[in-house]
Amino acid sequence: MGNLMGSWRYKEPSTVEECDSTWETDSESDEHQPGGEEEDSGISESMSPADAVRGAEQLDHGSPQSSTRMKRSFYAAKDLYKYRHSYPVKIQLAENSLSFYPSPNEYRNLRFYLNKIPLVPDGIYIEEILTKWRGDYEKLEHNHTYIQWLFPLREQGLNFYAQELTQDEIKEFQSTREAKRRFLLAYTIMLDFFGIKLLDKNGNVARALNWQDRFQHLNESQHNYLRITRILKSLGELGFESFKLPLVHLLLEEALVEGTLPNMRHSALEYFVYTLRQHAQRRALLRFAQRHYQPPENFIWRPPKKKRIPASGSTVMKAGKNEVVERSVGKARSPREGRNNLEREADDMDERKSGEWKTAKGSMVLQEVRGRVDLEEYIETIPL
């Protein structure tokens, strides 16, 4: 295998800036990565369970006062850095030891979704959750063991009976239609719990009929913000990365524009946005948020100030490279040259996917799928 570790270009991130490549357009740019996705550019060490618990206690999810401190959380930035870079230390360990990954008959997350084993410790099968838990908000609120099974990750959660995902299990899960069908149904159950409904196969979402009561609850039960972060991560792991953007956009709009989820705004900006793997999507969401954030001087997720460099040959080359990067994001700039950059980025996002997103009265209103009879039948029509 040669000097395997020597092949990794690695520097352990020690600051928020090192963890966040959202605004970079050079060394880690959209130009080099199709779709603007981040590549595995470093190894990050796994966090011990004790550190994870201590970190969770320091999250300040949803705290309205968090943003006034004018300081981003390094714990959050590093956690999401590891996620976006696919936990490269786990990949390294797996390559060095075949015994690191369980055998296929031990794929407990997949077997759970195939209704072959129950979640532990409660002994509940997935079919029971899908058929009996929808709308049972008390159970969904107060049971704290199911969420790690419904939305598995490649990291240990607070339910230590739940098994971490592996790359091999993820591949198997993504190729198993029945598991993906049940996963989507589980996603809709949690959306309904939050007051949101899934509209179509692209992951577009909107307020559900019960949104007022559920948003009021969600605004006051900030531990659910941890659940939303987990759900977003799991969507990306199991083949539904494209579902993240519509959900995060809706939550930002409710938190910053509509004012229905004011307690969520810090979590949405510090955590939810940074689960998206594409640079361009994160930038568009942050620019949308910056236009609506109050007070504006407390917005700490803006792009860093550009350093003034004396004109030189290298500077010219760098500028040329940036122009290529801007073009690679995908939207032609010339028709809107007279418009503000923030408006342009937000408009680009709003026009995505054949104009399915339509804004009215400050809320995202999306076209419903015609001929939709019931949720089960609808999900059956989604190509998995």
Side-chain angles (χ1 to χ4, degrees):
M1 296 179 65
N3 186 8
L4 185 60
M5 288 300 291
S7 65
W8 290 82
R9 300 179 62 184
Y10 164 66
K11 179 183 178 183
E12 175 72 12
S14 58
T15 65
V16 170
E17 291 73 22
E18 290 178 2
C19 294
D20 182 9
S21 60
T22 300
W23 301 106
E24 290 185 14
T25 53
D26 291 316
S27 61
E28 195 172 3
S29 68
D30 296 326
E31 174 189 4
H32 298 296
Q33 300 160 30
E37 295 183 3
E38 292 180 326
E39 298 177 340
D40 296 345
S41 63
I43 303 172
S44 55
E45 297 178 354
S46 297
M47 186 173 292
S48 69
D51 288 341
V53 172
R54 284 195 294 271
E57 292 172 350
Q58 299 169 3
L59 290 181
D60 289 326
H61 263 279
S63 172
Q65 289 78 27
S66 297
S67 62
T68 63
R69 289 198 292 268
M70 301 298 291
K71 185 178 181 181
R72 288 184 55 189
S73 164
F74 174 64
Y75 170 82
K78 186 175 180 180
D79 174 70
L80 293 163
Y81 169 90
K82 291 190 296 182
Y83 166 75
R84 292 195 308 272
H85 292 77
S86 301
Y87 308 93
V89 71
K90 295 179 182 291
I91 298 174
Q92 184 68 66
L93 290 172
E95 290 177 348
N96 290 336
S97 174
L98 295 177
S99 62
F100 180 76
Y101 282 170
S103 61
N105 63 354
E106 294 177 346
Y107 291 165
R108 295 178 67 190
N109 297 294
L110 178 59
R111 292 169 64 205
F112 168 69
Y113 261 104
L114 292 177
N115 210 44
K116 293 182 178 179
I117 63 171
L119 67 82
V120 182
D122 295 346
I124 302 171
Y125 284 84
I126 183 63
E127 273 302 309
E128 179 178 347
I129 294 175
L130 297 180
T131 57
K132 297 181 179 180
W133 286 35
R134 180 178 296 277
D136 191 340
Y137 301 141
E138 286 296 315
K139 183 173 290 185
L140 291 169
E141 173 66 27
H142 297 294
N143 185 305
H144 298 288
T145 60
Y146 71 90
I147 197 71
Q148 293 85 4
W149 287 86
L150 286 189
F151 301 98
L153 300 175
R154 280 185 277 179
E155 59 188 66
Q156 184 63 57
L158 295 180
N159 180 353
F160 292 101
Y161 293 103
Q163 188 178 75
E164 296 178 27
L165 281 172
T166 66
Q167 285 188 307
D168 288 345
E169 187 177 18
I170 288 171
K171 293 177 182 177
E172 196 69 26
F173 195 107
Q174 291 183 3
S175 65
T176 307
R177 179 180 176 84
E178 187 62 16
K180 293 180 71 176
R181 183 188 70 85
R182 287 192 172 115
F183 180 78
L184 276 184
L185 287 171
Y187 179 53
T188 63
I189 286 176
M190 294 308 298
L191 288 180
D192 175 72
F193 173 64
F194 299 138
I196 301 169
K197 61 181 176 180
L198 179 66
L199 295 179
D200 58 35
K201 65 183 180 181
N202 296 316
N204 289 320
V205 290
R207 291 174 173 178
L209 293 176
N210 62 347
W211 71 271
Q212 288 180 304
D213 290 340
R214 300 315 302 163
F215 280 12
Q216 181 177 351
H217 174 78
L218 185 58
N219 192 54
E220 297 169 354
S221 59
Q222 297 171 19
H223 74 94
N224 279 307
Y225 305 167
L226 292 166
R227 290 175 167 180
I228 292 174
T229 300
R230 183 180 190 91
I231 290 169
L232 288 164
K233 287 181 176 180
S234 192
L235 285 170
E237 297 285 36
L238 297 178
F240 296 94
E241 177 73 23
S242 63
F243 280 41
K244 295 180 187 178
L245 181 62
L247 178 58
V248 178
H249 183 275
L250 175 65
L251 294 175
L252 280 174
E253 189 169 38
E254 295 294 346
L256 299 175
V257 180
E258 298 301 317
T260 55
L261 297 170
N263 291 336
M264 182 185 282
R265 65 179 194 165
H266 186 77
S267 290
L269 288 164
E270 191 80 333
Y271 293 87
F272 304 167
V273 168
Y274 289 95
T275 65
L276 276 72
R277 290 189 168 106
Q278 294 189 18
H279 297 76
Q281 291 182 347
R282 296 202 301 273
R283 287 197 295 264
L285 289 170
L286 291 175
R287 284 171 172 148
F288 168 81
Q290 187 174 10
R291 290 162 56 198
H292 300 285
Y293 194 92
Q294 294 296 329
E297 62 270 16
N298 285 348
F299 189 82
I300 57 177
W301 302 272
R302 58 171 49 89
K305 293 182 179 179
K306 294 182 179 180
K307 297 180 180 179
R308 293 184 176 273
I309 304 175
S312 67
S314 60
T315 304
V316 174
M317 291 178 62
K318 185 174 181 180
K321 185 176 182 181
N322 286 342
E323 290 175 4
V324 174
V325 171
E326 290 298 323
R327 289 198 298 271
S328 72
V329 174
K331 300 295 187 301
R333 301 288 179 166
S334 55
R336 298 176 179 170
E337 286 178 350
R339 303 184 65 176
N340 181 278
N341 285 337
L342 300 181
E343 295 174 348
R344 189 163 54 216
E345 191 83 26
D347 289 344
D348 286 345
M349 183 175 65
D350 288 339
E351 292 168 7
R352 61 184 290 275
K353 292 181 179 178
S354 304
E356 288 181 59
W357 289 20
K358 297 182 179 180
T359 304
K361 298 181 181 178
S363 297
M364 187 169 62
V365 179
L366 304 168
Q367 294 180 338
E368 298 248 14
V369 178
R370 293 181 180 177
R372 178 172 168 183
V373 179
D374 58 35
L375 188 60
E376 290 263 5
E377 182 176 337
Y378 165 61
I379 288 182
E380 288 288 351
T381 67
I382 298 179
L384 301 175

